[in-house]
Amino acid sequence: MGNVPLNGEWRIDWENWNPKEDLANVDYTVVPGHWTNSKSERYPIGYATLSLTILLSENTKNLYLQNGITRNAFEILIENNSIYQSGTIGKSYSSEIPNLNIQTFALPDSKDQRIHLSLKISCFHYHVCGVATPYTLGSHIGINKLFLETLSRDLFVFASLLTLAFFHFVLYLFWRDEKTHIYFATVCFLAAVRLLSIGETRIIYNYLPAGIYETIVRINGITFVLLYLAFVLYVKEIYNSPKYNFIYRINYVIAFLLFFALPLDIIPFSKFLAAHLVLSLLGLLGLLYPIIHGVILKKPGSKFFLFSVIATMVLFSLDILTEFAKRGIPYLAQYGFLVFGLSQALFIAERMIENFRNKERLKQEKETAEAKVSFKTSFLSTMSHEIRTPMNGILGMTQILQQTELTEEQKEYLNLIKFSGDNLLLLVNDILDLTKLESGQFELHLEPISLQRLLYDCINIFKTQSDKNKLKIELEFVNEPPTFLVTDQRRFAQILTNLLSNAVKFTEEGSIFVIVESTPIDEKKIRLQISVKDTGIGIPEERMGNLFQPFSQVHSHLTEKTVGTGLGLAITKKLIEEMGGSISAQSIYGRGSNFTFQFEAEASFESSENDLISTPNELVKKTNWDSKLAEKYPLKILIADDDPINQKVSSLFLKKLGYSALQSENGEKTLDMIRTHLPDLVFLDIQMPDMDGITVTRFVRKSKTIPKQPVIVALTANVLEEEKQRCLSGGMDDFMTKPLLLHDLDFMIRKWAKNNLTPSNH
């Protein structure tokens, strides 16, 4: 009529493999289950014979038997004749070779409608002994069908979990920021691996040699811990809040406890493993708190998550029942794995849909923000250009006017005009710098620089501007500095000059020390630390917190000498942080301040003959100009600018230097004058009505009718770094910003005249 599970009471003869037919002292045990006596008292580890008499109807033939999971080694006998043996039974730990195997085999035909079935079992390698799952009697077709159904369930769940693991691993490769995918893939993979050894058929044992049972038990324990940890990490990734950390830490501790038991003998280890399963289930109960809290907060997919965790807990409960062999169907636990996997897949799908919506919204918000930043940058660039153009006339004519005969009163008024113009120009420069840093458009341009040359140059600029009888500016090296440093020269100089400018501003007399110390990190990198220490007025303690805040001035109440934008230190701090460094300040009010910044960079201590260090005496004062410069460097100079005031300022500046300049007001005329007059040096405005300066430069560089290529210097009111790079890549040789100052013009002419006016881009 079908398959019959041989569940119920079996005769048990404890520590007796050859029992006699003595019905007076018969004891019984329940199969499946831990072997016990009639009083439900457990037998310890050892060996016993379990026997059963099966009554058959007439003419019953071709019966088959499928054994259940029997710990640890066993032998099946029919009418005291051995028909199957798994492992090697023994009467001690050393004589037993455990092996778990499920097989189907034919039973001999019965002559008296009875089958006397006996099991000789030895159990010395596990703390739970007996028969864990039913023995089944039936026809060949029925038994095979049962086995195939059981095997197919295992394989179906195994394949489903592996598919989920692979799918979410691939998702992780595409979205590395979504760690939930890799944790979930790990959980599914480990659950699939465990099915090989704890499933209904225990597939892996059919393909392993006898004698490695203990190893498999330990591996089962390790895979359980890894599965447990992966699951906790998975929950933490989804519900990652500091208020849940205590629960997660408890679960980590519980999981790692098993590793301390690994060196133990197999019996103590197996007992510890069973206790660990119970402890793990209690730990998982704690995980319900963040999950239920997520349901209350209506987080995406939280209900699916709660359902799957409950399924997981049922799974662990069945694992515990399996360990204690208390039920006949504990190995249906794999369905808990499957329910967990599918529920989590639905949870992740819902969460991904929500994430896609959020990302789309963030993308739109980002595009809106970028549009605003772009507009802001464009607006500031345009305003900078528009402000600088009239500033060129104001400051330029102020410089020219200062060279004329003036009364003392007129000189005072003129100095006030120049002071106000310089501060307005400083404000425009600082706002542009700060805006660029805050918008994330800042880029470092790394190059090898001569460290000592740069330090001397920066310090000497301030020496020439200060009264050396009142204020001393000194450079000190704690140890030998590197010859070359790979950094952004412009930004490094800006940081140092900002700090020196503040020190000079607030130190009317005394000393300013620039102290340089380099500390090797490895063969190539050093940590450079520079301190700017002054003996000035210092900073009140209550104002120290405002030092690096934009538009904040700690001495705004002082004289006009200390007037500024309040942006210098804010920009300095941001520049240093962009370079990967840090800055700090110490000050005693009335006694001075000490600003220290440090950063890491590649360095070299190798020098060459061409690497000459500047000294205070060798530095040409950039703030000076030479009225007889034209006699030293007789050049033909062309000024191309569409603004008549700028043309007037430029021509007057050149006249002061002894030059008579050629002038043009548009691109076409500039090209004609270059072809006709062949100037040595061209100062070319970028924005002109008919043809911009870069287009003019490209025509000049490509022209085959110009026998002598001039040096072309860009002249623009746009001070952004992108504009400079655009000019240089367009074929220009140098870059000057408006407003044009007389000493800057002197410096540029002197620079290219010394280089024999060889265009660098030609």
Side-chain angles (χ1 to χ4, degrees), residues 207-264:
Y207 303 98
L208 293 176
I212 64 168
Y213 174 79
E214 288 189 22
T215 304
I216 297 299
V217 171
R218 295 181 192 276
I219 291 175
N220 278 340
I222 293 171
T223 57
F224 171 76
V225 169
L226 295 177
L227 174 61
Y228 183 17
L229 285 173
F231 180 72
V232 176
L233 289 171
Y234 175 56
V235 175
K236 183 182 179 183
E237 182 65 24
I238 295 167
Y239 300 99
N240 193 2
S241 173
K243 60 185 175 184
Y244 306 140
N245 283 344
F246 180 70
I247 295 172
Y248 299 139
R249 291 193 189 104
I250 289 175
N251 280 275
Y252 294 150
V253 172
I254 291 173
F256 280 107
L257 282 176
L258 187 68
F259 288 107
F260 293 102
L262 284 175
L264 299 176

Side-chain angles (χ1 to χ4, degrees), residues 285-335:
L285 285 172
L287 292 178
L288 285 176
Y289 173 68
I291 297 167
I292 294 174
H293 196 229
V295 174
I296 295 171
L297 297 176
K298 296 182 179 180
K299 290 193 174 183
S302 55
K303 291 181 180 178
F304 283 124
F305 201 90
L306 178 60
F307 173 74
S308 63
V309 171
I310 291 174
T312 306
M313 290 183 177
V314 172
L315 159 72
F316 285 134
S317 299
L318 292 174
D319 265 359
I320 293 169
L321 291 174
T322 300
E323 286 301 315
F324 291 100
K326 286 293 186 182
R327 294 291 181 270
I329 54 168
Y331 296 108
L332 296 180
Q334 67 265 42
Y335 293 113

